[in-house]
């Protein structure tokens, strides 16, 4: 399970073996994403679906976990990819 501390249907995650992750928040929220399988430093890119607004880009260390929380209670997507 890649997502922790999530309510039912709060967020959805997809990941691939290259260390990229996509998390979709249909109505905001806060979850922990397990990145223990990641082997390289990562960058978090977020985007608000309704307005096209980009969130702040953040660097994330590989091998641990990260708390993700969109800045509003709307449709947000977070893409996390190797730096």
């Amino acid at each position: 399970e890649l997502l922790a501390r999530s309510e039912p249907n709060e967020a959805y995650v997809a990941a691939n073996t290259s260390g990229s992750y996509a998390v979709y928040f249909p109505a905001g929220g806060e979850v922990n994403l397990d990145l223990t399988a990641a082997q390289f430093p990562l960058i978090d890119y977020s985007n608000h679906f309704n307005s096209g607004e980009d969130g702040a880009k953040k660097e994330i260390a590989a091998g641990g976990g990260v708390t993700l929380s969109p800045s509003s209670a709307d449709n947000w997507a977070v893409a996390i990819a190797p730096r």
Side-chain angles (χ1 to χ4, degrees):
E1 183 74 21
L2 292 174
L3 292 179
R5 290 188 354 165
S6 65
E7 299 295 324
N9 301 315
E10 181 177 22
Y12 303 90
V13 65
N16 67 24
T17 57
S18 69
S20 296
Y21 303 81
V23 183
Y24 171 62
F25 292 88
E30 181 177 286
V31 299
N32 287 342
L33 177 63
D34 180 356
L35 299 173
T36 54
Q39 298 178 5
F40 305 101
L42 304 161
I43 296 183
D44 162 351
Y45 303 91
S46 58
N47 182 270
H48 185 266
F49 277 0
N50 297 350
S51 70
E53 168 192 352
D54 288 330
K57 292 180 184 170
K58 297 179 261 180
E59 291 199 24
I60 302 170
V66 64
T67 299
L68 301 174
S69 179
S71 60
S72 65
D74 283 321
N75 288 312
W76 280 89
V78 177
I80 298 174
R83 182 172 53 143

